[in-house]
Amino acid sequence: MTLTVAVLFLGSCVSITSNTMASGQEFEVTVHTSPGPTCGTFNRLWLSLIGSQGETPPVEVNEGEHHLLSGSVCPVRVQANGPLGCVVLVRLRLEAQVGLPNLNWHCSRVEVRRIAGEWAPEDPDVQVFLGDRWLQTADGDVELRSGKLCLLQDETEEKLKQQRVKELQLQQRLIRWRQFVDGAPQCIDLSSASDLGPNLSYKHKSPSTNTHYLKGLDGRAEAWTSLQEFETVFLQNSRQNSIASKKPHHREATVRLTNGNVVDVLSISGFIRAHWTEDWYFGHQCLNGCNPLLLRQIHALPPNLPVTSDLLRPFLPEGSSIDLELQKGNLYLLDYEVLDGIPANVINGKQSYLSAPLCLLHLNQQGQLVPIAIQLQQTPGPQNPVFLPSDSGCDWLLAKMWVHGADFQCHQLVSHYLRTHMMAELVCVATLRQLPPVHPLHQLLMPHVRTSLQINHGARASLLAPNGVFDKAVGCGLEALPVLLSRSSRRISYRSMCVPDDVRDRGVDKLPQSYYSQDALRVWTALHRFALRWVDLYYSGDDVVQQDSELQQWIAELHAHGFVHSTGFPQVFHTKAEVTKFVTMVIFSCSALHAAVNFSQLDFALWLPNCPMSMLRPPPQVKGSVTEDDITSFLPDVNVSCRVLASLSLLSQPAVDFVPLCHYREPVFGNDVHRRLLQEVQAELDAISSDIAKRNSHLELPYPYLSPTHIDNSVAI
Ligand SMILES: *[C@@H]1O[C@H](CO)[C@@H](O)[C@H](O)[C@H]1NC(C)=O
Ligand SMILES: *[C@@H]1O[C@H](CO)[C@@H](O)[C@H](O)[C@H]1NC(C)=O
Ligand SMILES: *[C@@H]1O[C@H](CO)[C@@H](O)[C@H](O)[C@H]1NC(C)=O
Ligand SMILES: [Fe+2]
């Protein structure tokens, strides 16, 4: 392995121009089949070497006693009968054998050793041509290149330039864009998941979930009679959850305390059950819950929230006023304006309701962020009262539940689906179409985005489709979904996708208990350093960036098919710094951000009153209209709640092949130069993980989601 790796980077072959010297060359070629259990094939394999000046006739590799078995190495002698020059490509072709199944073959690599003939002393003895992909008979001729990554303008061989262009043309025919929602990023055009083929598919083995305790409830289309009744069901399912957490894999989803005890997912949701009605905990969730992306500091009140210092005096420090608190930067806002007027779903044959709340929060003298005013709809008026902490307990609790209900929609569809899943798919499709595999950014980004094609296709065919959980159980159903996705795509700015800009713009970077933003900044910084070193390897200056036509096509396509309406999203790259920032943003969104918004969802939503996915009665238009018994009548029906709980449990199955952030299995990451960069970033991420573990051990309520050891390298669920 080390040998292979060293050879890969010995530089390119030096051309030999003299025909007499080059003729009579002989090579020993070894064909390596990948070791996976299904990598072998019965098919016949033909191989020829393509040189800068000529090519060898095809020879059969698996003749006689040589078979393409998984993990095997097949040697074959290849002779050039004319001038060849230096070998630049290896051409392979699979052919089915009569009577035997036509199986795809996973080629690891081909190594070419010169054994006879003359060549320049600088030329390597062994050249390695990388496969690392599935080949099939339908492909016809497939050409493998050496594992050395390079930019188009650095190609020295005309044949390699052409090969690059041909490869992209082929990909552009196979991988096409499709509009999913007008105004939102486009997706891949597939008629079925099997069209992805083995190169772009992966296995997410789902162990069967235990829905035993939910099953008997799936016909009960009526409201919960009390919170106690809900609690009974919650506890049965929580127990199941804690059993699941005994599995070694699931232990990834746990929080380790200093005393060595392990707190599992259940304990966090148990904590939520105990504290969900408390104001400090409402504020804490805005910073450290499953949707930490919305809260922002304000310097002026929104014009549509008619509150005065007189009204809010009891909730502000003695002698202070709204203006003073605004000046000090102590006022924060949640604004769900994007939900305004969105049509709410009909669930179990009943109309459900959405609201578009404004919620004002205050950073008090104890350093707690607490809500001090909630208006459930955007337009102020007599039928849209501003709820206050001094209102009756039920009014205030219900107002906070409405805010969380609105947050559920934005969390699932905007923070989770749009910002991570759709982003990953957008980048994946553009990369396959515009950057050939030999481009250094193709190799760096694909491991982070590859799984998104299959997972998103699956989501569009099930979760987001007719009869899926959004259709059957969520306030934003199939009618609302395109409206919300399209609106939010227009409103998301590029700055909000980049952590340092985002947390500074929202004024959450300096808050002492803003663990999401502290951890996100550290992870971003480590990723940024890594991306910078990678970019430095291949781009010596800004002019190289400007001249890389593949890179420019790529970003133009990302802009045109992605966030064309959103402010600041780049459409050209002028500098290395811009490329580095963009690459960091992509890696962060597909790994860390996904972990922050996905991994936390079960914790916060399992106790459903904390996170109602739909509301069955309209937002109250007057104060004092609800009693404690009424609260549950706003919540979704029994069987709707259970449907969501079952879905969430399913989504919480541990990934079978979890790959931690910045760990790569692809062979190009094995060479010395790349490996050094990986060691650096991995060491930095490990240090962040242990700092986070240390910090969490002192916290009553730890924030584990952005600990790099828990972050998956890609959007895998
Ligand atoms: C895998 O990818 C390679 C290179 O893009 C392509 O030639 C081949 O057809 C793909 N294999 C399958 C089975 O789709
Ligand atoms: C709830 O039960 C009703 C009546 O049995 C059924 O029509 C409806 O589809 C169920 N809803 C869900 C989300 O399972
Ligand atoms: C998504 O979150 C669930 C818990 O809600 C977790 O089990 C799963 O592993 C997470 N997936 C990823 C890729 O982080
Ligand atoms: Fe996800």
Side-chain angles (χ1 to χ4, degrees), residues 514-688:
S514 182
Y515 304 118
Y516 164 79
S517 70
Q518 290 167 18
D519 296 355
L521 270 173
R522 288 199 64 182
V523 173
W524 173 279
T525 306
L527 293 176
H528 189 267
R529 212 185 321 270
F530 172 54
L532 181 67
R533 307 261 335 243
W534 189 278
V535 168
D536 271 344
L537 282 181
Y538 298 97
Y539 294 90
S540 54
D542 294 341
D543 53 330
V544 184
V545 165
Q546 292 155 22
Q547 286 152 17
D548 184 351
S549 56
E550 291 171 342
L551 179 75
Q552 300 295 349
Q553 278 288 107
W554 178 68
I555 192 65
E557 186 147 324
L558 281 166
H559 178 262
H561 294 266
F563 290 93
V564 66
H565 302 292
S566 73
T567 332
F569 197 91
Q571 18 188 340
V572 279
F573 287 129
H574 305 99
T575 64
K576 284 165 63 173
E578 289 170 2
V579 177
T580 304
K581 185 175 185 177
F582 188 82
V583 165
T584 310
M585 182 281 286
V586 171
I587 299 178
F588 184 89
S589 301
C590 300
S591 58
L593 181 59
H594 187 255
V597 300
N598 166 72
F599 195 58
S600 53
Q601 59 190 344
L602 182 64
D603 295 354
F604 292 92
L606 200 58
W607 181 250
L608 183 135
N610 185 56
C611 211
M613 67 293 293
S614 54
M615 294 289 253
L616 276 190
R617 289 174 57 183
Q621 298 185 332
V622 290
K623 295 188 182 188
S625 66
V626 287
T627 65
E628 203 179 316
D629 291 341
D630 283 337
I631 295 267
T632 51
S633 67
F634 282 84
L635 293 176
D637 284 344
V638 174
N639 70 346
V640 172
S641 311
C642 292
R643 172 88 187 250
V644 175
L645 292 187
S647 270
L648 283 174
S649 316
L650 195 74
L651 290 177
S652 301
Q653 295 302 322
V656 178
D657 46 2
F658 175 87
V659 181
L661 182 57
C662 290
H663 286 71
Y664 301 91
R665 295 166 173 173
E666 292 72 12
V668 288
F669 291 93
N671 84 56
D672 288 345
V673 184
H674 292 162
R675 211 171 34 206
R676 214 164 312 127
L677 300 198
L678 290 197
Q679 282 162 354
E680 282 170 19
V681 68
Q682 288 169 3
E684 201 171 339
L685 292 171
D686 284 347
I688 297 176

Side-chain angles (χ1 to χ4, degrees), residues 45-48 50 55-56 58 89-95 133-144 163 166-167 170 173:
L45 177 67
W46 296 91
L47 175 147
S48 42
I50 314 296
E55 46 187 82
T56 66
L89 291 167
V90 170
R91 183 182 294 152
L92 300 173
R93 186 164 51 84
L94 282 178
E95 186 184 285
R133 60 195 186 199
W134 290 98
L135 301 185
Q136 55 190 353
T137 50
D139 293 341
D141 288 341
V142 175
E143 288 166 354
L144 307 187
Q163 190 262 351
K166 267 198 315 217
E167 198 164 8
L170 178 68
R173 276 202 303 278

